[in-house]
């Protein structure tokens, strides 16, 4: 079985972009994922969108530590991460569907 990868996504006011980002993470060919969304105190509809995605997929964990900036959000994600590997994604990124599989394979082969 593939090892768990924790994907950490800090989010702040990205209502127009977070859906595309999350769909690209959910479409990864590597399926053993823990997706950690950290809402950094969004004031638009970002949090509601994140809640909808979290309700629809049990691999998504939504954290709301309050506004602490992107570094604080990343650290909160690291504290929650359970994966053998950790991958950071910005909330405006869209990933190729085989990105995590390729990185995973490289890490496993190189030790």
């Amino acid at each position: 079985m593939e090892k768990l990868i924790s994907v950490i996504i800090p989010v702040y006011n990205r209502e127009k972009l977070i859906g595309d980002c999350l769909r690209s993470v959910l479409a990864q060919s590597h399926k053993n994922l823990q997706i950690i969304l950290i809402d950094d105190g969004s004031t638009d509809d970002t949090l509601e969108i994140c809640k909808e995605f979290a309700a629809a997929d049990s691999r998504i964990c939504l954290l709301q530590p309050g506004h602490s900036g992107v570094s604080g959000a990343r650290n909160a994600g690291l504290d929650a991460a359970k994966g053998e590997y950790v991958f950071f994604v910005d909330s405006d990124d869209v990933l190729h569907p085989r990105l995590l599989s390729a990185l995973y394979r490289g890490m496993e082969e190189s030790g």
Side-chain angles (χ1 to χ4, degrees), residues 29-45:
S29 56
H30 185 102
K31 297 297 183 192
N32 193 14
L33 301 175
Q34 174 195 25
I35 302 163
I36 306 168
L37 287 171
I38 307 96
D39 182 74
D40 194 34
S42 294
T43 57
D44 63 2
D45 285 333

mmCIF file with all atom_site columns, all heavy atoms in Angstrom, residues 29-45:
data_model
loop_
_atom_site.group_PDB
_atom_site.id
_atom_site.type_symbol
_atom_site.label_atom_id
_atom_site.label_alt_id
_atom_site.label_comp_id
_atom_site.label_asym_id
_atom_site.label_entity_id
_atom_site.label_seq_id
_atom_site.pdbx_PDB_ins_code
_atom_site.Cartn_x
_atom_site.Cartn_y
_atom_site.Cartn_z
_atom_site.occupancy
_atom_site.B_iso_or_equiv
_atom_site.pdbx_formal_charge
_atom_site.auth_seq_id
_atom_site.auth_comp_id
_atom_site.auth_asym_id
_atom_site.auth_atom_id
_atom_site.pdbx_PDB_model_num
ATOM 1   N N   . SER A 1 29 ? -3.448  10.793 -8.663  1.00 0.00 ? 29 SER A N   1
ATOM 2   C CA  . SER A 1 29 ? -3.421  9.339  -8.851  1.00 0.00 ? 29 SER A CA  1
ATOM 3   C C   . SER A 1 29 ? -2.955  8.633  -7.568  1.00 0.00 ? 29 SER A C   1
ATOM 4   O O   . SER A 1 29 ? -3.303  7.477  -7.350  1.00 0.00 ? 29 SER A O   1
ATOM 5   C CB  . SER A 1 29 ? -2.545  8.965  -10.046 1.00 0.00 ? 29 SER A CB  1
ATOM 6   O OG  . SER A 1 29 ? -1.246  9.489  -9.909  1.00 0.00 ? 29 SER A OG  1
ATOM 7   N N   . HIS A 1 30 ? -2.182  9.298  -6.745  1.00 0.00 ? 30 HIS A N   1
ATOM 8   C CA  . HIS A 1 30 ? -1.832  8.791  -5.414  1.00 0.00 ? 30 HIS A CA  1
ATOM 9   C C   . HIS A 1 30 ? -3.033  9.125  -4.523  1.00 0.00 ? 30 HIS A C   1
ATOM 10  O O   . HIS A 1 30 ? -3.326  10.291 -4.279  1.00 0.00 ? 30 HIS A O   1
ATOM 11  C CB  . HIS A 1 30 ? -0.559  9.473  -4.899  1.00 0.00 ? 30 HIS A CB  1
ATOM 12  C CG  . HIS A 1 30 ? -0.077  8.916  -3.597  1.00 0.00 ? 30 HIS A CG  1
ATOM 13  N ND1 . HIS A 1 30 ? 0.970   8.049  -3.516  1.00 0.00 ? 30 HIS A ND1 1
ATOM 14  C CD2 . HIS A 1 30 ? -0.506  9.113  -2.334  1.00 0.00 ? 30 HIS A CD2 1
ATOM 15  C CE1 . HIS A 1 30 ? 1.175   7.728  -2.251  1.00 0.00 ? 30 HIS A CE1 1
ATOM 16  N NE2 . HIS A 1 30 ? 0.293   8.356  -1.513  1.00 0.00 ? 30 HIS A NE2 1
ATOM 17  N N   . LYS A 1 31 ? -3.726  8.125  -4.054  1.00 0.00 ? 31 LYS A N   1
ATOM 18  C CA  . LYS A 1 31 ? -4.992  8.333  -3.346  1.00 0.00 ? 31 LYS A CA  1
ATOM 19  C C   . LYS A 1 31 ? -4.873  8.363  -1.825  1.00 0.00 ? 31 LYS A C   1
ATOM 20  O O   . LYS A 1 31 ? -5.782  8.818  -1.147  1.00 0.00 ? 31 LYS A O   1
ATOM 21  C CB  . LYS A 1 31 ? -6.010  7.253  -3.741  1.00 0.00 ? 31 LYS A CB  1
ATOM 22  C CG  . LYS A 1 31 ? -6.385  7.281  -5.209  1.00 0.00 ? 31 LYS A CG  1
ATOM 23  C CD  . LYS A 1 31 ? -7.069  8.568  -5.581  1.00 0.00 ? 31 LYS A CD  1
ATOM 24  C CE  . LYS A 1 31 ? -7.524  8.592  -7.023  1.00 0.00 ? 31 LYS A CE  1
ATOM 25  N NZ  . LYS A 1 31 ? -7.939  9.916  -7.465  1.00 0.00 ? 31 LYS A NZ  1
ATOM 26  N N   . ASN A 1 32 ? -3.766  7.866  -1.278  1.00 0.00 ? 32 ASN A N   1
ATOM 27  C CA  . ASN A 1 32 ? -3.621  7.817  0.175   1.00 0.00 ? 32 ASN A CA  1
ATOM 28  C C   . ASN A 1 32 ? -3.143  9.187  0.668   1.00 0.00 ? 32 ASN A C   1
ATOM 29  O O   . ASN A 1 32 ? -1.955  9.415  0.884   1.00 0.00 ? 32 ASN A O   1
ATOM 30  C CB  . ASN A 1 32 ? -2.661  6.697  0.579   1.00 0.00 ? 32 ASN A CB  1
ATOM 31  C CG  . ASN A 1 32 ? -2.733  6.399  2.062   1.00 0.00 ? 32 ASN A CG  1
ATOM 32  O OD1 . ASN A 1 32 ? -3.647  6.828  2.757   1.00 0.00 ? 32 ASN A OD1 1
ATOM 33  N ND2 . ASN A 1 32 ? -1.753  5.658  2.557   1.00 0.00 ? 32 ASN A ND2 1
ATOM 34  N N   . LEU A 1 33 ? -4.109  10.101 0.810   1.00 0.00 ? 33 LEU A N   1
ATOM 35  C CA  . LEU A 1 33 ? -3.809  11.485 1.146   1.00 0.00 ? 33 LEU A CA  1
ATOM 36  C C   . LEU A 1 33 ? -4.539  11.925 2.411   1.00 0.00 ? 33 LEU A C   1
ATOM 37  O O   . LEU A 1 33 ? -5.667  11.518 2.671   1.00 0.00 ? 33 LEU A O   1
ATOM 38  C CB  . LEU A 1 33 ? -4.260  12.418 0.013   1.00 0.00 ? 33 LEU A CB  1
ATOM 39  C CG  . LEU A 1 33 ? -3.666  12.198 -1.366  1.00 0.00 ? 33 LEU A CG  1
ATOM 40  C CD1 . LEU A 1 33 ? -4.332  13.128 -2.369  1.00 0.00 ? 33 LEU A CD1 1
ATOM 41  C CD2 . LEU A 1 33 ? -2.165  12.412 -1.348  1.00 0.00 ? 33 LEU A CD2 1
ATOM 42  N N   . GLN A 1 34 ? -3.877  12.774 3.152   1.00 0.00 ? 34 GLN A N   1
ATOM 43  C CA  . GLN A 1 34 ? -4.490  13.555 4.217   1.00 0.00 ? 34 GLN A CA  1
ATOM 44  C C   . GLN A 1 34 ? -4.393  14.999 3.725   1.00 0.00 ? 34 GLN A C   1
ATOM 45  O O   . GLN A 1 34 ? -3.290  15.515 3.552   1.00 0.00 ? 34 GLN A O   1
ATOM 46  C CB  . GLN A 1 34 ? -3.731  13.392 5.531   1.00 0.00 ? 34 GLN A CB  1
ATOM 47  C CG  . GLN A 1 34 ? -4.232  14.302 6.632   1.00 0.00 ? 34 GLN A CG  1
ATOM 48  C CD  . GLN A 1 34 ? -3.280  14.414 7.807   1.00 0.00 ? 34 GLN A CD  1
ATOM 49  O OE1 . GLN A 1 34 ? -2.067  14.221 7.682   1.00 0.00 ? 34 GLN A OE1 1
ATOM 50  N NE2 . GLN A 1 34 ? -3.824  14.751 8.961   1.00 0.00 ? 34 GLN A NE2 1
ATOM 51  N N   . ILE A 1 35 ? -5.514  15.623 3.466   1.00 0.00 ? 35 ILE A N   1
ATOM 52  C CA  . ILE A 1 35 ? -5.527  16.985 2.936   1.00 0.00 ? 35 ILE A CA  1
ATOM 53  C C   . ILE A 1 35 ? -5.901  17.917 4.078   1.00 0.00 ? 35 ILE A C   1
ATOM 54  O O   . ILE A 1 35 ? -7.003  17.835 4.633   1.00 0.00 ? 35 ILE A O   1
ATOM 55  C CB  . ILE A 1 35 ? -6.520  17.105 1.768   1.00 0.00 ? 35 ILE A CB  1
ATOM 56  C CG1 . ILE A 1 35 ? -6.140  16.097 0.677   1.00 0.00 ? 35 ILE A CG1 1
ATOM 57  C CG2 . ILE A 1 35 ? -6.547  18.537 1.230   1.00 0.00 ? 35 ILE A CG2 1
ATOM 58  C CD1 . ILE A 1 35 ? -7.241  15.834 -0.325  1.00 0.00 ? 35 ILE A CD1 1
ATOM 59  N N   . ILE A 1 36 ? -4.968  18.772 4.448   1.00 0.00 ? 36 ILE A N   1
ATOM 60  C CA  . ILE A 1 36 ? -5.161  19.655 5.591   1.00 0.00 ? 36 ILE A CA  1
ATOM 61  C C   . ILE A 1 36 ? -5.348  21.077 5.070   1.00 0.00 ? 36 ILE A C   1
ATOM 62  O O   . ILE A 1 36 ? -4.413  21.680 4.540   1.00 0.00 ? 36 ILE A O   1
ATOM 63  C CB  . ILE A 1 36 ? -3.963  19.592 6.560   1.00 0.00 ? 36 ILE A CB  1
ATOM 64  C CG1 . ILE A 1 36 ? -3.692  18.152 6.980   1.00 0.00 ? 36 ILE A CG1 1
ATOM 65  C CG2 . ILE A 1 36 ? -4.214  20.488 7.766   1.00 0.00 ? 36 ILE A CG2 1
ATOM 66  C CD1 . ILE A 1 36 ? -2.363  17.952 7.689   1.00 0.00 ? 36 ILE A CD1 1
ATOM 67  N N   . LEU A 1 37 ? -6.561  21.577 5.221   1.00 0.00 ? 37 LEU A N   1
ATOM 68  C CA  . LEU A 1 37 ? -6.879  22.958 4.864   1.00 0.00 ? 37 LEU A CA  1
ATOM 69  C C   . LEU A 1 37 ? -6.792  23.796 6.125   1.00 0.00 ? 37 LEU A C   1
ATOM 70  O O   . LEU A 1 37 ? -7.387  23.446 7.153   1.00 0.00 ? 37 LEU A O   1
ATOM 71  C CB  . LEU A 1 37 ? -8.300  23.059 4.324   1.00 0.00 ? 37 LEU A CB  1
ATOM 72  C CG  . LEU A 1 37 ? -8.568  22.525 2.940   1.00 0.00 ? 37 LEU A CG  1
ATOM 73  C CD1 . LEU A 1 37 ? -10.076 22.507 2.675   1.00 0.00 ? 37 LEU A CD1 1
ATOM 74  C CD2 . LEU A 1 37 ? -7.880  23.396 1.910   1.00 0.00 ? 37 LEU A CD2 1
ATOM 75  N N   . ILE A 1 38 ? -6.047  24.886 6.069   1.00 0.00 ? 38 ILE A N   1
ATOM 76  C CA  . ILE A 1 38 ? -5.949  25.773 7.215   1.00 0.00 ? 38 ILE A CA  1
ATOM 77  C C   . ILE A 1 38 ? -6.486  27.128 6.800   1.00 0.00 ? 38 ILE A C   1
ATOM 78  O O   . ILE A 1 38 ? -5.838  27.849 6.038   1.00 0.00 ? 38 ILE A O   1
ATOM 79  C CB  . ILE A 1 38 ? -4.504  25.925 7.730   1.00 0.00 ? 38 ILE A CB  1
ATOM 80  C CG1 . ILE A 1 38 ? -3.869  24.562 7.989   1.00 0.00 ? 38 ILE A CG1 1
ATOM 81  C CG2 . ILE A 1 38 ? -4.481  26.753 9.011   1.00 0.00 ? 38 ILE A CG2 1
ATOM 82  C CD1 . ILE A 1 38 ? -3.043  24.059 6.856   1.00 0.00 ? 38 ILE A CD1 1
ATOM 83  N N   . ASP A 1 39 ? -7.700  27.460 7.267   1.00 0.00 ? 39 ASP A N   1
ATOM 84  C CA  . ASP A 1 39 ? -8.260  28.764 6.963   1.00 0.00 ? 39 ASP A CA  1
ATOM 85  C C   . ASP A 1 39 ? -7.662  29.781 7.926   1.00 0.00 ? 39 ASP A C   1
ATOM 86  O O   . ASP A 1 39 ? -7.766  29.642 9.142   1.00 0.00 ? 39 ASP A O   1
ATOM 87  C CB  . ASP A 1 39 ? -9.785  28.762 7.079   1.00 0.00 ? 39 ASP A CB  1
ATOM 88  C CG  . ASP A 1 39 ? -10.340 30.115 6.714   1.00 0.00 ? 39 ASP A CG  1
ATOM 89  O OD1 . ASP A 1 39 ? -10.345 30.446 5.515   1.00 0.00 ? 39 ASP A OD1 1
ATOM 90  O OD2 . ASP A 1 39 ? -10.735 30.859 7.638   1.00 0.00 ? 39 ASP A OD2 1
ATOM 91  N N   . ASP A 1 40 ? -7.039  30.803 7.356   1.00 0.00 ? 40 ASP A N   1
ATOM 92  C CA  . ASP A 1 40 ? -6.306  31.798 8.137   1.00 0.00 ? 40 ASP A CA  1
ATOM 93  C C   . ASP A 1 40 ? -7.169  33.030 8.427   1.00 0.00 ? 40 ASP A C   1
ATOM 94  O O   . ASP A 1 40 ? -6.688  34.148 8.408   1.00 0.00 ? 40 ASP A O   1
ATOM 95  C CB  . ASP A 1 40 ? -5.032  32.180 7.380   1.00 0.00 ? 40 ASP A CB  1
ATOM 96  C CG  . ASP A 1 40 ? -4.033  32.927 8.234   1.00 0.00 ? 40 ASP A CG  1
ATOM 97  O OD1 . ASP A 1 40 ? -3.947  32.639 9.436   1.00 0.00 ? 40 ASP A OD1 1
ATOM 98  O OD2 . ASP A 1 40 ? -3.352  33.827 7.699   1.00 0.00 ? 40 ASP A OD2 1
ATOM 99  N N   . GLY A 1 41 ? -8.460  32.794 8.656   1.00 0.00 ? 41 GLY A N   1
ATOM 100 C CA  . GLY A 1 41 ? -9.355  33.890 9.009   1.00 0.00 ? 41 GLY A CA  1
ATOM 101 C C   . GLY A 1 41 ? -9.972  34.588 7.811   1.00 0.00 ? 41 GLY A C   1
ATOM 102 O O   . GLY A 1 41 ? -10.162 35.804 7.827   1.00 0.00 ? 41 GLY A O   1
ATOM 103 N N   . SER A 1 42 ? -10.303 33.823 6.782   1.00 0.00 ? 42 SER A N   1
ATOM 104 C CA  . SER A 1 42 ? -10.893 34.398 5.566   1.00 0.00 ? 42 SER A CA  1
ATOM 105 C C   . SER A 1 42 ? -12.150 35.204 5.889   1.00 0.00 ? 42 SER A C   1
ATOM 106 O O   . SER A 1 42 ? -12.933 34.842 6.770   1.00 0.00 ? 42 SER A O   1
ATOM 107 C CB  . SER A 1 42 ? -11.260 33.296 4.581   1.00 0.00 ? 42 SER A CB  1
ATOM 108 O OG  . SER A 1 42 ? -10.099 32.642 4.114   1.00 0.00 ? 42 SER A OG  1
ATOM 109 N N   . THR A 1 43 ? -12.341 36.290 5.128   1.00 0.00 ? 43 THR A N   1
ATOM 110 C CA  . THR A 1 43 ? -13.506 37.146 5.315   1.00 0.00 ? 43 THR A CA  1
ATOM 111 C C   . THR A 1 43 ? -14.473 37.058 4.132   1.00 0.00 ? 43 THR A C   1
ATOM 112 O O   . THR A 1 43 ? -15.496 37.731 4.128   1.00 0.00 ? 43 THR A O   1
ATOM 113 C CB  . THR A 1 43 ? -13.080 38.610 5.517   1.00 0.00 ? 43 THR A CB  1
ATOM 114 O OG1 . THR A 1 43 ? -12.307 39.034 4.392   1.00 0.00 ? 43 THR A OG1 1
ATOM 115 C CG2 . THR A 1 43 ? -12.250 38.754 6.785   1.00 0.00 ? 43 THR A CG2 1
ATOM 116 N N   . ASP A 1 44 ? -14.157 36.216 3.146   1.00 0.00 ? 44 ASP A N   1
ATOM 117 C CA  . ASP A 1 44 ? -15.059 35.994 2.011   1.00 0.00 ? 44 ASP A CA  1
ATOM 118 C C   . ASP A 1 44 ? -15.701 34.617 2.178   1.00 0.00 ? 44 ASP A C   1
ATOM 119 O O   . ASP A 1 44 ? -15.796 34.114 3.292   1.00 0.00 ? 44 ASP A O   1
ATOM 120 C CB  . ASP A 1 44 ? -14.310 36.153 0.676   1.00 0.00 ? 44 ASP A CB  1
ATOM 121 C CG  . ASP A 1 44 ? -13.192 35.133 0.492   1.00 0.00 ? 44 ASP A CG  1
ATOM 122 O OD1 . ASP A 1 44 ? -13.002 34.253 1.378   1.00 0.00 ? 44 ASP A OD1 1
ATOM 123 O OD2 . ASP A 1 44 ? -12.513 35.192 -0.539  1.00 0.00 ? 44 ASP A OD2 1
ATOM 124 N N   . ASP A 1 45 ? -16.127 33.988 1.116   1.00 0.00 ? 45 ASP A N   1
ATOM 125 C CA  . ASP A 1 45 ? -16.787 32.679 1.212   1.00 0.00 ? 45 ASP A CA  1
ATOM 126 C C   . ASP A 1 45 ? -15.823 31.489 1.185   1.00 0.00 ? 45 ASP A C   1
ATOM 127 O O   . ASP A 1 45 ? -16.262 30.350 1.035   1.00 0.00 ? 45 ASP A O   1
ATOM 128 C CB  . ASP A 1 45 ? -17.817 32.533 0.083   1.00 0.00 ? 45 ASP A CB  1
ATOM 129 C CG  . ASP A 1 45 ? -19.066 33.356 0.340   1.00 0.00 ? 45 ASP A CG  1
ATOM 130 O OD1 . ASP A 1 45 ? -19.379 33.603 1.522   1.00 0.00 ? 45 ASP A OD1 1
ATOM 131 O OD2 . ASP A 1 45 ? -19.724 33.753 -0.647  1.00 0.00 ? 45 ASP A OD2 1
#
